[in-house]
Amino acid sequence: MKIRTERSTVLFNTIGYVLISLFALLCLLPFLLVLSGSFSSEQEIIAEGFKLIPDQWSLEAYRAVFSNPEQIFDAYRVTILLTLAGTALGLFLTSMAGYVLSRQEFKYRNSLSFFIYFTTLFSGGLIPWYILIVNYLQLKDSYLALLVPVLVSAWNIILMKNFMKSIPESIPESAKIDGAGEFTIYLKLILPLSAPSLATIGLFMALGFWNDWFMANLFITTESKYPLQFLLYKILASAAVLKTSIAGNLSPDFKPPAETLKMAAAIIVTGPIVFLYPFVQRFFVKGLTIGAVKG
Amino acid sequence: MSKKTIGLLMTTALLATALAGCSGNGNGNGSGGSEANANAGAAANSGSGEAKAIDTSKKVELVWYVLGDGHADSPKIQDQINAMLEKDINATIKLNFTTWNDWQTKYNLLLTSGEKVDMVFASTWADYYKFADQGAFKELNDLLPTYMPETWKAVPKQDWDEATVNGKIYAVPSTYPEYTPDGLVYREDWRKELNVPEIKDLDSIEAYLDAVKTQKKVTPINGKAWNEVFTLFKAYHGYEQIGGDSGVIVAKSYDAPRDIVNYAETPEFEQFVKRMKTWSQKGFWTSDTLSSQKEAGDALKAGTGGAYWRNAPGAGGFIVDAEKTNKGTDYAYFPFTRFHGYAMPTLSVNNAMAVPKSSKNAERSLMALEKIRTDSRYFDLLTYGIQDTHYSLSDDGKLAISPPKGKENDKNFKGYGITSWGWRVTSLAKEQQAGGWTEFPALMEEFKAESKPNIFAPIIMDYKPVKSQQAAVNQVIQQYGMPLMMGLVPDVDKALETYRKQLKAAGVDQVLAYVQEQANAYFDEKGIQ
């Protein structure tokens, strides 16, 4: 038997769908504007501003960007490898730390937790941190400088610890009776049970690595080692410098990148991820809700 | 989510900078003197023999930093330079670029962290005086005669004087005298077409802008107009800012440099903002000009604007480029120096190279710089790139022309240009100032004839005792001063009163007292009344 739908429900649904569609369209607009901007001619943008449908289509910006494609491929390579390696390694370290801190048998877990927590409130500041990484660890211009400083965060460890606390103490205990060692317990029992938190924190980390430009900004001096976001930021920054007081000292033929070039760079840098996201997203959502309906 | 992470990162970074600022400065002050002295002493000893006896038996790698972006071929050029350097002084250079993102932060870190850097770009606008005062750079007095003998002799004493802080030289200034006064680029063809009198004062500027607005139906300053109006204000009244950007604190005139005031309190300011109110009402700029991201120059080029602020060499480059892209247009330039009848050259340390205190190879670094400044093979390679790849020589060999022969129509050609400002030397330079603008030489003559030494820029100010007041004052300028100056307030009298009151509340008087004190100290030292 079909359930009859009330007229008010139909009306409600219609309005809802219309509103949501409109809203979705609004969210798409900026992307479309960037896209069409990247295909516009420079002169038109200066004279008439950005348009959704340019009068004059032009591939000039993309030609300019791809006149040196290695730069972009290099950046993609760095960012992808960094994100993969960073997330895997970071998750491993964070979950180990979280596990140890969550175990009742560990006598100093509270003081150690506080020690970790303390660093989120007070830190040495930028310069001592920079000195540590450059002068003592000698990581200047090394890929490790992109990885190590962001690998483990206190916040994630605490998150992980709190989640693992909810795993009953009797589970590791039973495994111990069956003769499992500490590492086996962690690997075979705790990790699978922590899948939801691993997914959440993994997502945080992956996004963090993907979006990070600050490390590269400070530590990387070789152009081929630039990650993607920094490359994009660099392109935009050379335009921004014109707005500062140095502008007067720049050589007269210093030209900022064209508006269209900026748009094209944004498309090339973010495009693949934007297109990838809808397909990958469902895994994230699944991961996040796994633990939600546990009795 | 991603925005959040970036936001978080940036906030932490900001916080960290704020926290770290004080400690960094303290360190610099504390240990600077003794180490520099020790080094200088050692150098003086080793250099006391003959100049030829400089020991270069140990091969060293020098780390250099300049501002801005590198070029795709920078590694190639570096290799070529190093091949020569290795033969000549047994050293190689690793040339690093800060890129333009956040360069101030990075520059600060380079100098305060003690990272091993052997030479950096230095400049008044990159806080040369402040860093030198804090001991971030190595003092060079004893090293220069030994390791840069030719430069030591060639650079005029005036230039060395300008690089001197507390009696010590901390940088090798570029030898490239420039005048960079503010001024206005405008459409000369429109001016003639619209029958507007030649631009020579504020009234004729107004007449021109008015004609552009009413007859050409074009917003004259179409984009960010703050620079245009603010520099006009300063020049029209002959106000000079002190030690870089000093906000509302100005010296009232060149002839009375000790007469330092808060310009917001002056009747001249009141008159000027009233006039700007009428300009704004006439639509000389748009009402969103303060938040606009558009360069008025882009509009001027596209024919949708009528005026653009530039300094003189910048104007030249702009005009040459604009007349090339838009055939049949005619642009002209009005330097604001004509309001007060004098021009100040830029300081020699406007562009310079300095050796950070942490450098272990200051001697070799200076020798490399000497090579670059005296040997055109080095200079050309580093400044203009590889011959026939990035530039070709003009027939008389005096100019580097880019794009080179055979690549004029190559759309993928990317001109080579790095921030070579720190080592520029007029005798080696193969470029024309102002991009080869034909009217520039005449303008230079005009400036030279009325040249007066720059007595305001070298005053060292770090605003340390009045840091919070200065920040508050800058906030007030942003919030109240800029809309007032641009005539974007409904009631000028009321806005002016609020502005003055807010400035007082923010502590402008303490800032003024501080600036006055610093200025007096400098004027006393130099014997300027």
Side-chain angles (χ1 to χ4, degrees):
Chain A
M1 195 184 94
K2 255 172 81 181
I3 300 171
R4 236 189 311 151
T5 32
E6 297 274 335
R7 179 171 290 181
S8 62
T9 320
V10 174
L11 192 71
F12 178 80
N13 278 351
T14 323
I15 295 176
Y17 276 117
V18 169
L19 280 182
I20 290 174
S21 315
L22 277 179
F23 189 69
L25 276 179
L26 273 182
C27 292
L28 263 181
L29 259 180
F31 279 106
L32 285 179
L33 212 54
V34 172
L35 193 66
S36 68
S38 71
F39 284 109
S40 304
S41 86
E42 182 71 16
Q43 283 300 319
E44 193 185 328
I45 288 183
I46 291 170
E48 295 159 56
F50 286 97
K51 286 183 193 160
L52 268 186
I53 298 160
D55 298 336
Q56 246 185 326
W57 295 87
S58 156
L59 284 172
E60 194 68 5
Y62 286 93
R63 219 191 35 72
V65 174
F66 279 107
S67 69
N68 190 10
E70 301 95 49
Q71 212 184 10
I72 289 163
F73 294 141
D74 274 341
Y76 258 111
R77 182 179 49 85
V78 171
T79 299
I80 290 174
L81 287 180
L82 181 70
T83 307
L84 289 179
T87 311
L89 203 59
L91 269 185
F92 180 61
L93 293 174
T94 308
S95 60
M96 278 211 295
Y99 172 55
V100 168
L101 292 176
S102 73
R103 287 290 295 271
Q104 295 286 327
E105 300 137 270
F106 182 43
K107 196 175 161 196
Y108 301 107
R109 63 182 187 283
N110 284 333
S111 27
L112 199 64
S113 299
F114 177 75
F115 190 69
I116 291 174
Y117 175 62
F118 187 77
T119 61
T120 62
L121 299 178
F122 299 95
S123 72
L126 184 63
I127 294 182
W129 175 74
Y130 182 87
I131 292 174
L132 172 74
I133 288 167
V134 171
N135 290 1
Y136 292 95
L137 301 179
Q138 304 276 345
L139 292 184
K140 184 104 191 186
D141 204 25
S142 145
Y143 286 121
L144 281 179
L146 296 174
L147 182 70
V148 174
V150 255
L151 197 53
V152 178
S153 94
W155 170 252
N156 285 343
I157 291 180
I158 292 165
L159 213 65
M160 192 63 102
K161 178 197 119 179
N162 285 340
F163 180 85
M164 285 176 168
K165 254 192 188 159
S166 68
I167 298 172
E169 190 79 0
S170 49
I171 289 179
E173 216 171 295
S174 71
K176 205 171 256 174
I177 293 170
D178 288 339
E182 289 294 345
F183 197 73
T184 320
I185 297 175
Y186 158 75
L187 205 65
K188 293 274 168 67
L189 292 174
I190 302 296
L191 275 194
L193 283 172
S194 317
S197 67
L198 288 180
T200 317
I201 292 176
L203 180 63
F204 284 164
M205 283 184 173
L207 280 176
F209 278 112
W210 185 272
N211 287 329
D212 184 43
W213 52 266
F214 192 65
M215 300 300 141
N217 186 26
L218 289 185
F219 300 121
I220 301 299
T221 52
T222 308
E223 209 150 309
S224 62
K225 291 182 186 172
Y226 287 160
L228 207 49
Q229 303 296 337
F230 184 68
L231 187 71
L232 178 65
Y233 188 34
K234 191 179 86 115
I235 294 173
L236 301 183
S238 52
V241 73
L242 273 183
K243 291 174 201 142
T244 65
S245 56
I246 332 167
N249 296 285
L250 292 168
S251 78
D253 34 64
F254 178 87
K255 280 200 204 73
E259 293 295 326
T260 51
L261 182 77
K262 290 191 227 166
M263 298 299 145
I267 289 289
I268 289 164
V269 169
T270 55
I273 257 339
V274 170
F275 290 120
L276 197 67
Y277 204 74
F279 300 103
V280 190
Q281 193 195 25
R282 62 199 178 100
F283 295 108
F284 291 142
V285 176
K286 210 167 157 195
L288 295 180
T289 49
I290 281 176
V293 281
K294 241 181 2 182
Chain B
M1 209 175 291
S2 60
K3 258 191 197 153
K4 228 173 175 179
T5 10
I6 291 188
L8 211 91
L9 248 165
M10 280 168 65
T11 333
T12 2
L14 256 174
L15 247 170
T17 343
L19 283 170
C22 344
S23 63
N25 292 343
N27 286 342
N29 259 337
S31 57
S34 56
E35 199 182 307
N37 282 340
N39 275 324
N45 285 340
S46 65
S48 58
E50 277 187 309
K52 291 209 172 57
I54 296 170
D55 177 23
T56 57
S57 56
K58 192 171 146 262
K59 184 173 182 270
V60 293
E61 196 196 25
L62 305 167
V63 180
W64 284 27
Y65 268 90
V66 295
L67 302 185
D69 293 324
H71 183 270
D73 287 333
S74 283
K76 233 187 272 171
I77 287 163
Q78 184 179 307
D79 289 345
Q80 294 198 12
I81 288 272
N82 283 341
M84 294 195 285
L85 267 184
E86 212 172 333
K87 214 163 21 168
D88 288 340
I89 63 169
N90 198 20
T92 56
I93 291 179
K94 169 97 180 66
L95 189 60
N96 289 331
F97 299 90
T98 63
T99 71
W100 286 120
N101 353 340
D102 259 357
W103 65 269
Q104 285 105 329
T105 314
K106 273 186 268 187
Y107 190 74
N108 264 315
L109 282 171
L110 286 178
L111 292 175
T112 46
S113 70
E115 193 179 336
K116 296 279 163 289
V117 180
D118 300 295
M119 190 154 280
V120 288
F121 175 79
S123 162
T124 43
W125 44 264
D127 285 335
Y128 166 71
Y129 288 120
K130 193 182 95 189
F131 281 119
D133 192 39
Q134 288 172 354
F137 300 125
K138 206 163 245 176
E139 54 165 275
L140 304 174
N141 294 49
D142 299 321
L143 301 177
L144 286 170
T146 316
Y147 297 101
M148 295 188 76
E150 285 186 48
T151 304
W152 179 240
K153 270 179 269 169
V155 173
K157 185 169 176 304
Q158 168 75 19
D159 286 9
W160 289 122
D161 281 349
E162 286 170 356
T164 303
V165 177
N166 304 332
K168 307 281 180 213
I169 296 169
Y170 288 99
V172 182
S174 64
T175 312
Y176 196 74
E178 276 182 302
Y179 292 87
T180 54
D182 300 311
L184 219 51
V185 181
Y186 60 94
R187 287 286 294 267
E188 177 73 0
D189 49 349
W190 283 6
R191 185 190 69 77
K192 282 181 187 148
E193 184 191 325
L194 299 173
N195 257 330
V196 181
E198 202 163 324
I199 291 187
K200 56 183 192 305
D201 52 21
L202 201 56
D203 292 326
S204 49
I205 292 178
E206 183 170 338
Y208 166 75
L209 295 177
D210 198 45
V212 169
K213 178 69 191 177
T214 51
Q215 297 177 52
K216 279 277 168 192
K217 308 277 181 235
V218 156
T219 306
I221 308 176
N222 199 354
K224 294 173 283 185
W226 166 256
N227 274 333
E228 280 81 355
V229 173
F230 182 59
T231 52
L232 182 63
F233 166 72
K234 278 190 299 182
Y236 181 63
H237 295 294
Y239 290 168
E240 293 288 351
Q241 286 195 313
I242 296 153
D245 179 11
S246 55
V248 287
I249 315 291
V250 292
K252 274 191 94 171
S253 80
Y254 189 95
D255 301 319
R258 284 173 193 254
D259 189 4
I260 292 168
V261 294
N262 160 13
Y263 71 64
E265 294 287 346
T266 59
E268 288 89 351
F269 178 67
E270 189 173 339
Q271 276 168 18
F272 192 80
V273 292
K274 283 192 174 142
R275 186 153 190 179
M276 286 307 111
K277 172 77 185 168
T278 64
W279 284 27
S280 157
Q281 273 166 342
K282 287 180 187 164
F284 289 180
W285 48 79
T286 54
S287 57
D288 67 346
T289 180
L290 283 175
S291 57
S292 171
Q293 292 299 314
K294 263 165 66 183
E295 279 291 326
D298 290 339
L300 180 59
K301 248 180 226 179
T304 52
Y308 182 38
W309 159 83
R310 288 278 80 181
N311 65 34
F318 178 87
I319 291 173
V320 169
D321 190 55
E323 287 179 354
K324 202 160 52 184
T325 22
N326 309 323
K327 292 266 180 281
T329 53
D330 184 14
Y331 295 81
Y333 181 66
F334 175 74
F336 292 159
T337 49
R338 290 184 193 155
F339 281 125
H340 45 55
Y342 63 88
M344 291 189 289
T346 55
L347 294 178
S348 65
V349 277
N350 196 36
N351 292 303
M353 296 302 280
V355 181
K357 198 186 64 196
S358 60
S359 168
K360 290 262 182 296
N361 299 305
E363 299 81 11
R364 215 70 73 80
S365 210
L366 291 174
M367 286 163 75
L369 184 62
E370 168 96 335
K371 280 278 165 215
I372 293 166
R373 287 184 54 123
T374 51
D375 187 332
S376 65
R377 288 178 308 150
Y378 286 90
F379 183 86
D380 292 351
L381 195 52
L382 212 49
T383 314
Y384 305 114
I386 301 165
Q387 191 173 355
D388 297 327
T389 306
H390 300 115
Y391 73 95
S392 50
L393 284 179
S394 62
D395 294 334
D396 58 0
K398 279 188 185 150
L399 289 176
I401 294 164
S402 171
K405 280 180 201 118
K407 288 204 182 155
E408 287 91 346
N409 297 318
D410 183 354
K411 280 193 160 184
N412 285 332
F413 174 77
K414 275 211 190 92
Y416 175 85
I418 61 170
T419 52
S420 55
W421 315 327
W423 57 74
R424 273 192 302 200
V425 185
T426 317
S427 55
L428 293 179
K430 291 187 176 57
E431 79 234 4
Q432 289 169 305
Q433 277 194 22
W437 181 36
T438 44
E439 285 159 51
F440 192 68
L443 211 52
M444 267 305 254
E445 287 312 311
E446 179 186 326
F447 295 150
K448 270 184 197 155
E450 58 187 17
S451 180
K452 288 186 182 181
N454 195 333
I455 55 171
F456 298 106
I459 300 171
I460 304 168
M461 295 214 277
D462 59 7
Y463 295 99
K464 222 185 261 164
V466 289
K467 217 159 205 157
S468 56
Q469 288 91 334
Q470 193 219 7
V473 166
N474 282 340
Q475 183 62 40
V476 172
I477 296 175
Q478 291 263 336
Q479 194 181 339
Y480 300 95
M482 290 169 81
L484 177 61
M485 180 76 93
M486 303 308 296
L488 301 174
V489 292
D491 182 345
V492 174
D493 288 315
K494 216 188 273 169
L496 184 63
E497 196 188 325
T498 327
Y499 184 37
R500 286 174 174 168
K501 220 178 342 175
Q502 292 288 347
L503 278 176
K504 285 257 189 270
V508 73
D509 291 333
Q510 283 104 306
V511 181
L512 177 61
Y514 169 79
V515 174
Q516 181 83 60
E517 193 185 317
Q518 297 297 103
N520 282 351
Y522 176 80
F523 295 142
D524 287 344
E525 185 194 325
K526 299 279 167 186
I528 300 164
Q529 274 318 309

